[in-house]
Amino acid sequence: MDRTRRNRRSRLPGSAPLPPGMLRRGRAIEPDIPMGRVLARLTLAFLALGVLVSLGVAGVAYGAYSDLAASLKPRLAAIENRESFETTRLYDRNGQLLYEFFGAGKRTRVSIDQVSTYLISATVAIEDRTFFENRGVDYLGIARTLLTSLQAGEETGGASTITQQLIKNVVLSDEERRYENRYQRKLIEIILAQELSEQYSKNDILELYLNEIYYGNLAYGIEAAANVYFGIPAKDLNLPQAALLAGLPQLPNVYDPFNYLDGGVLKGVRLGDGWLSPAYRLPTGTPPPKWRQVAVLRQMVDEGIISDPIARRAAAVDLAFASQDVPLNAPHFVFYVRRLLEEEYGPQFANMGLSVYTTIDLDLQRMAQEKAAERIQELEARNIHNAAVVILQPNTGQILAMVGSIDYNKTIPTKTPGESGNVLDGQVNVTVRERQPGSALKPFTYLAAMERGMTPETVIWDVPTKFPLIAGEWYEPQNYNGRWNGPVRMRAALANSLNMPAVKALKYAGIDETISLLRRAGITTLQRGSGFYGLALTLGGGEVTPLELTTAYNTLASGGRYYPPVAILKVVDSSGRTLQEFRPTLRPQTLNPDHVAIITDMLSDDAARAPVWGLNSKLKLSRPAAVKTGTSNDWRDAWAVGYTPYVTVGVWTGNNNNEPTKKVESLTGGGVIWHNIMEELFANPKFQRLLAEPYLDGRLPLDFTKPSWLVRKPICPLPGPYHVSREELFAPDMLPAGSVPVSDTTQLCRDIFTEVQVVRLSDTPIETTSLITDTAVAAQWYCAPGEGQSIASEQVMTILTWNVPPPDPDEQIVYTWEGMQSAMGDQTVAPIVASAIPPCTAEMLTPHTPPVPGAVRMPDLRRFGENQAKEQLAALGIFNVYVDYQTRDRIPDVFDDYAPYAVVSTLPAPGEWIDPNMTVVLGVRAP
């Protein structure tokens, strides 16, 4: 505070001349004559003597004044040391206002040169017209008030100078301001006002006053008042606005203009001749704030500050006021930050005048909310009413957007019979509420399994399996589509969100170990222990918040480094001092970066998820992106969480009261919102610049970068639609030391298949609902030939059988799946295990032993062309062939079913023995 003394009293800031009339006409400040000052103090002492006597104090009046002044003077330190509140404001990362925390009210301190001269002139004119001349007290005013009170027969107010009002508001206690202490208070005000005028310049006193005075509607100080009433800074106030505000402090509630607006406007009045007289009557119905404004303008004219015509024009102006809707942008995020500020600075932060610059981008926030609301509106008929979105920045953890609901101001009660509560409770911030994540935890399950030794090559059996619980009960996970897919690998299981493989991976990894990994990734809500969650954990059996789940995926986007969510970039106090500032630092590795790179590759593989989602679904973006969905039990929650190298987006959809939707699964709900937000991020140049901020060259890394030491090597190709990949990525810790990549299929597949030479005992297809492990059943189709057994060569074949894991005594497993009978190239994959195939016995082989040496089985040549059939027989050593051309009259029923010269029948019949010297008859359709 500039404490220049009285030589500055006649100037406004910057040594600029005062506005017209501000220097009182013909009344300059008199020189400081010591005797005049003594006389003034003696006069005051005599006025105070009555109070002093009532207090039991005796002595000389001047001495009494001096003693009293000396005892009170230290209290002026309250001016310097005052801790009056100021409004704390929240801004987005670009400086757009999100919210103002009022606390006791609004206040923003400004210097006197940031206040309109109209407002200064109006305030001095109406509150203390002798301000620039008096020494803190207007004795003539006091005398006039005493005379008025005597004439009225009661106390009348008035005569307090601006300096006295400042003393009252800043220095005096609540007790001293009580009505019953008014005489003592007035004496203290007078004494301290004079002392204050000795210590501070007029400009300083006026600046203090204008920053402290209450203008109503929680506006303390002129800057807050200008903003609350007109939405502008104090320096931009015009004359009509200034005249209105200058009159408010006397009775803020009585003169509150918001009580008298018509369409947001306080109507002007036209002043007639004689309006300068206090007895002039304004038109009937003129509201109190307009009366008060006219009184201010009248006083300004009387003081020569403005002319009569200017005052009349000002009174006639219709004043438009700012909306009183409190700006609340990104409300859920605002109150999330409020909690952080309370933890750091205590609940008093709201009155500390802080400028808090946060991490979100308001335009991005609004875009995310719009995309979420649009999709929910499209799906409302399916009983889904809310969504939440979190957008994070990899490698910093900054929260770029936090959408806690689709509409903060909206509530929708449930209409579903048997349900209760609100399906949409807009003011609830779902991003910090615990919800079941469905399958969205699966990537972390497989990461935990990798840490325990599982590799992308490991075969996991997706078949019906029961796991023991307690009291003889069993846990029986089911796949989303109710189907079983047999042997699968991690890539296919994760990309298609298969449940059983994830449960088995969790069992392999360990529940406690998986929870530990989730904590390292950023999920802290799973606190109930492995016994509570069980194997259902990986399918959503534990609850997490959307913010934490998105943070965990952001750890994946950051290459396995955990970055806690950051909401505040910088906090600056009212003096411009930075109290805290976020500076990104490289965080330690919490997850194996090689394993994370492999999981990211799987999550971004559109071909791998084609069996369930199809190619080019909404999970496929125009740029590389990794994504995982999740749907909880009974269709209550539908998630999609995914990332690129430069942004992570998490989306939850569902109902606030946790009631089921009408089968809205993850892709339909969260997946579409995730897709739309991501594509808008890609398309909008402003958002691209925002996402590029962390990169020194300002260029986004569009592609995921894999560690150079990852190895891509061939794997055993498995049959079925889930196995399009013939190669996989491996981290160094997954490969035995000194191992050499193998490309031979037999070697690659030796742990999965066993190649077996068998005699086919029956031509009928194998009909089975599960993998054959029983020898008696297997003997219906196959036996294993022994040495020296005479078997027709065409009856001997090589098949592939499945290798299954050793039995687990804690599990009940049935090896059944779609496509058990398949082929690998030209080899049959039989639905059987090798150990179930019995040795061939003479009894088994009797039907398959040739009656004479060289005899062969007659092949089925039906529908072969004549020449093709002869070639087939010649290959078997049969050359004696007779062709019997059959006309329509011989085979009327089937004649038209065959093409000309096609084989209709044979003799012997298919499957019967042919002696090499026998003549074979081909029944061929005549042309």
Side-chain angles (χ1 to χ4, degrees):
M1 176 67 73
D2 181 3
R3 300 180 66 170
T4 307
R5 292 178 181 263
R6 294 157 62 99
N7 60 343
R8 288 183 56 199
R9 288 190 192 132
S10 60
R11 290 282 190 180
L12 284 171
S15 300
L18 293 170
M22 192 61 101
L23 287 173
R24 305 281 292 147
R25 292 165 292 163
R27 297 177 62 186
I29 296 177
E30 297 178 6
D32 292 339
I33 302 174
M35 183 55 69
R37 185 180 305 167
V38 170
L39 289 173
R41 290 185 173 181
L42 282 172
T43 302
L44 178 60
F46 281 118
L47 289 172
L49 185 58
V51 175
L52 293 173
V53 170
S54 67
L55 296 173
V57 180
V60 180
Y62 181 75
Y65 171 84
S66 298
D67 291 343
L68 185 57
S71 67
L72 292 175
K73 194 171 182 179
R75 297 187 61 181
L76 292 179
I79 299 289
E80 288 288 344
N81 302 326
R82 71 194 185 285
E83 294 185 354
S84 58
F85 71 87
E86 289 189 61
T87 303
T88 288
R89 294 178 174 84
L90 256 63
Y91 302 93
D92 83 337
R93 65 190 305 115
N94 304 308
Q96 291 193 71
L97 181 66
L98 299 178
Y99 190 61
E100 293 178 313
F101 291 103
F102 303 160
K106 296 183 178 181
R107 177 184 279 125
T108 301
R109 296 192 179 280
V110 292
S111 60
I112 194 73
D113 59 358
Q114 293 178 287
V115 180
S116 162
T117 53
Y118 287 119
L119 187 284
I120 295 173
S121 299
T123 299
V124 171
I126 197 65
E127 293 291 342
D128 185 2
R129 60 193 183 88
T130 67
F131 173 74
F132 285 102
E133 300 150 19
N134 65 49
R135 294 185 172 86
V137 181
D138 182 1
Y139 291 108
L140 289 178
I142 292 174
R144 283 194 298 271
T145 299
L146 287 173
L147 180 60
T148 302
S149 297
L150 289 172
Q151 290 173 341
E154 61 181 3
E155 294 181 19
T156 58
S160 286
T161 63
I162 285 175
T163 312
Q164 287 177 263
Q165 292 180 56
L166 180 62
I167 293 295
K168 176 183 177 181
N169 289 328
V170 177
V171 178
L172 300 188
S173 67
D174 291 339
E175 178 65 24
E176 289 172 317
R177 287 195 288 264
R178 291 170 65 91
Y179 177 77
E180 56 267 29
N181 298 322
R182 59 194 181 282
Y183 299 125
Q184 184 178 354
R185 182 197 74 213
K186 185 64 70 174
L187 174 61
I188 295 173
E189 281 180 13
I190 291 172
I191 294 171
L192 291 182
Q194 291 189 128
E195 296 299 328
L196 185 65
S197 293
E198 296 298 320
Q199 297 183 23
Y200 287 79
S201 71
K202 287 294 184 181
N203 286 343
D204 291 340
I205 292 172
L206 191 57
E207 180 178 307
L208 286 167
Y209 173 82
L210 291 174
N211 278 304
E212 292 292 333
I213 202 68
Y214 181 55
Y215 287 87
N217 285 292
L218 298 178
Y220 289 81
I222 189 56
E223 182 73 4
N227 181 264
V228 166
Y229 289 101
F230 299 113
I232 59 175
K235 64 183 179 62
D236 294 337
L237 291 168
N238 58 30
L239 177 59
Q241 294 167 336
L244 181 94
L245 293 184
L248 295 183
Q250 185 184 66
L251 292 171
N253 292 332
V254 173
Y255 299 135
D256 183 357
F258 291 130
N259 293 331
Y260 302 96
L261 300 185
D262 182 2
V265 170
L266 184 67
K267 297 293 186 180
V269 295
R270 298 192 177 279
L271 301 174
D273 294 338
W275 77 278
L276 290 173
S277 168
Y280 179 82
R281 298 184 64 82
L282 293 174
T284 302
T286 301
K290 202 65 187 179
W291 279 88
R292 184 61 173 166
Q293 181 200 40
V294 170
V296 172
L297 292 170
R298 180 185 293 121
Q299 192 69 19
M300 294 178 76
V301 172
D302 182 60
E303 295 297 313
I305 298 171
I306 58 175
S307 65
D308 182 304
I310 290 175
R312 292 193 189 203
R313 286 198 295 271
V317 170
D318 290 342
L319 282 178
F321 288 78
S323 169
Q324 289 310 286
D325 292 335
V326 177
L328 180 55
N329 295 308
H332 297 105
F333 178 75
V334 164
F335 296 121
Y336 174 81
V337 173
R338 179 180 68 181
R339 180 176 59 81
L340 299 179
L341 293 171
E342 287 175 344
E343 292 173 355
E344 181 68 23
Y345 302 103
Q348 67 274 17
F349 85 90
N351 297 323
M352 293 173 63
L354 305 177
S355 293
V356 182
Y357 297 92
T358 65
T359 56
I360 72 162
D361 180 285
L362 189 54
D363 292 336
L364 176 56
Q365 170 83 15
R366 288 169 174 162
M367 180 273 287
Q369 182 148 2
E370 287 171 5
K371 298 296 184 186
E374 286 171 3
R375 184 56 178 166
I376 293 301
Q377 186 176 11
E378 294 170 355
L379 295 173
E380 275 187 334
R382 297 178 64 180
N383 196 38
I384 186 168
H385 301 278
N386 204 4
V389 180
V390 176
I391 303 179
L392 299 178
Q393 187 179 72
N395 302 305
T396 69
Q398 293 183 43
I399 302 173
L400 302 180
M402 176 186 278
V403 179
S405 72
I406 61 169
D407 189 340
Y408 182 80
N409 297 309
K410 193 171 183 179
T411 299
I412 301 177
T414 183
K415 296 179 181 178
T416 305
E419 298 288 347
S420 61
N422 298 321
V423 289
L424 172 59
D425 205 340
Q427 296 190 9
V428 173
N429 185 359
V430 181
T431 69
V432 293
R433 292 298 182 95
E434 295 182 8
R435 306 291 302 206
Q436 285 197 344
S439 298
L441 293 185
K442 286 176 181 174
F444 305 96
T445 299
Y446 288 111
L447 281 170
M450 285 185 188
E451 290 188 347
R452 301 281 289 179
M454 185 177 285
T455 78
E457 191 176 25
T458 303
V459 170
I460 311 170
W461 285 88
D462 182 26
V463 293
T465 308
K466 295 181 180 181
F467 303 90
L469 296 173
I470 58 174
E473 295 182 350
W474 296 87
Y475 174 50
E476 302 179 56
Q478 301 292 316
N479 280 330
Y480 160 74
N481 58 9
R483 298 178 178 178
W484 303 107
N485 306 286
V488 297
R489 292 195 177 93
M490 189 184 301
R491 180 178 295 269
L494 178 57
N496 293 282
S497 201
L498 303 180
N499 289 340
M500 185 60 76
V503 171
K504 292 184 175 181
L506 177 59
K507 182 179 179 181
Y508 179 91
I511 300 172
D512 287 327
E513 290 77 6
T514 303
I515 291 174
S516 173
L517 182 139
L518 286 165
R519 287 180 183 143
R520 284 183 274 136
I523 292 177
T524 63
T525 49
L526 301 172
Q527 298 290 337
R528 299 187 179 185
S530 59
F532 176 83
Y533 301 113
L535 294 175
L537 174 67
T538 191
L539 306 185
E543 295 186 334
V544 300
T545 70
L547 177 59
E548 283 200 337
L549 185 59
T550 308
T551 298
Y553 276 80
N554 202 50
T555 299
L556 302 183
S558 304
R561 300 180 189 274
Y562 164 61
Y563 288 87
V566 175
I568 298 173
L569 290 176
K570 185 166 64 172
V571 178
V572 180
D573 68 12
S574 58
S575 64
R577 182 168 58 99
T578 299
L579 302 183
Q580 70 179 77
E581 186 170 8
F582 172 70
R583 297 186 182 278
T585 58
L586 185 66
R587 300 277 299 183
Q589 204 80 44
T590 59
L591 303 180
N592 186 312
D594 299 346
H595 299 174
V596 169
I598 292 172
I599 287 293
T600 295
D601 189 71
M602 294 175 177
L603 292 175
S604 58
D605 188 344
D606 189 55
R609 57 178 171 252
V612 167
W613 305 110
L615 290 172
N616 302 315
S617 71
K618 286 293 185 179
L619 301 180
K620 174 74 181 297
L621 303 181
S622 59
R623 293 182 185 175
V627 61
K628 183 70 187 73
T629 61
T631 306
S632 65
N633 289 339
D634 300 324
W635 317 90
R636 298 176 190 272
D637 308 89
W639 301 71
V641 192
Y643 54 94
T644 69
Y646 45 88
V647 67
T648 302
V649 177
V651 180
W652 166 90
T653 59
N655 294 310
N656 277 80
N657 65 344
N658 203 37
E659 75 175 59
T661 66
K662 291 182 179 178
K663 295 187 177 181
V664 177
E665 44 75 32
S666 53
L667 180 59
T668 304
V672 172
I673 296 172
W674 178 84
H675 174 276
N676 293 345
I677 289 174
M678 278 291 200
E679 290 296 350
E680 183 64 24
L681 287 174
F682 298 162
N684 190 307
K686 177 185 184 297
F687 298 152
Q688 291 292 284
R689 290 191 296 272
L690 166 64
L691 299 177
E693 285 179 2
Y695 303 97
L696 295 178
D697 60 359
R699 299 177 62 184
L700 289 173
L702 299 184
D703 294 312
F704 292 109
T705 302
K706 301 181 185 70
S708 59
W709 49 84
L710 292 185
V711 176
R712 189 177 291 277
K713 75 180 190 73
I715 58 174
C716 174
L718 295 175
Y722 286 87
H723 308 289
V724 296
S725 177
R726 291 177 172 267
E727 292 183 322
E728 260 303 347
L729 287 171
F730 293 83
D733 65 345
M734 297 174 177
L735 301 173
S739 63
V740 178
V742 176
S743 58
D744 180 70
T745 301
T746 302
Q747 285 186 278
L748 288 172
C749 297
R750 63 189 177 190
D751 293 333
I752 303 170
F753 300 110
T754 297
E755 192 175 70
V756 182
Q757 192 175 59
V758 297
V759 174
R760 180 70 187 245
L761 302 177
S762 173
D763 291 330
T764 59
I766 299 176
E767 295 181 0
T768 179
T769 57
S770 62
L771 202 62
I772 298 172
T773 59
D774 185 89
T775 299
V777 178
Q780 298 177 43
W781 287 278
Y782 297 111
C783 68
E787 280 190 38
Q789 291 180 319
S790 178
I791 306 171
S793 60
E794 72 271 17
Q795 296 298 119
V796 179
M797 62 189 302
T798 300
I799 63 171
L800 297 177
T801 60
W802 293 101
N803 297 333
V804 296
D808 186 332
D810 290 334
E811 298 177 359
Q812 292 183 5
I813 185 166
V814 177
Y815 287 96
T816 181
W817 69 95
E818 294 184 9
M820 284 190 297
Q821 302 184 62
S822 54
M824 286 279 290
D826 58 355
Q827 284 188 300
T828 297
V829 180
I832 194 168
V833 296
S835 60
I837 299 176
C840 292
T841 66
E843 183 181 0
M844 291 178 182
L845 294 176
T846 297
H848 308 281
T849 302
V852 295
V856 295
R857 296 276 190 181
M858 180 67 188
D860 187 355
L861 300 176
R862 284 170 295 185
R863 297 190 185 280
F864 277 67
E866 176 184 336
N867 293 330
Q868 291 174 314
K870 289 178 179 179
E871 290 173 0
Q872 292 287 320
L873 291 171
L876 296 173
I878 307 299
F879 299 99
N880 297 326
V881 178
Y882 173 78
V883 178
D884 177 21
Y885 294 104
Q886 299 177 353
T887 58
R888 181 184 296 276
D889 60 329
R890 292 178 61 188
I891 52 171
D893 294 337
V894 296
F895 184 84
D896 292 328
D897 294 338
Y898 288 83
Y901 301 106
V903 176
V904 177
S905 61
T906 62
L907 188 68
E912 295 181 356
W913 291 105
I914 309 172
D915 185 317
N917 298 317
M918 181 184 298
T919 298
V920 172
V921 178
L922 296 179
V924 174
R925 187 207 142 172

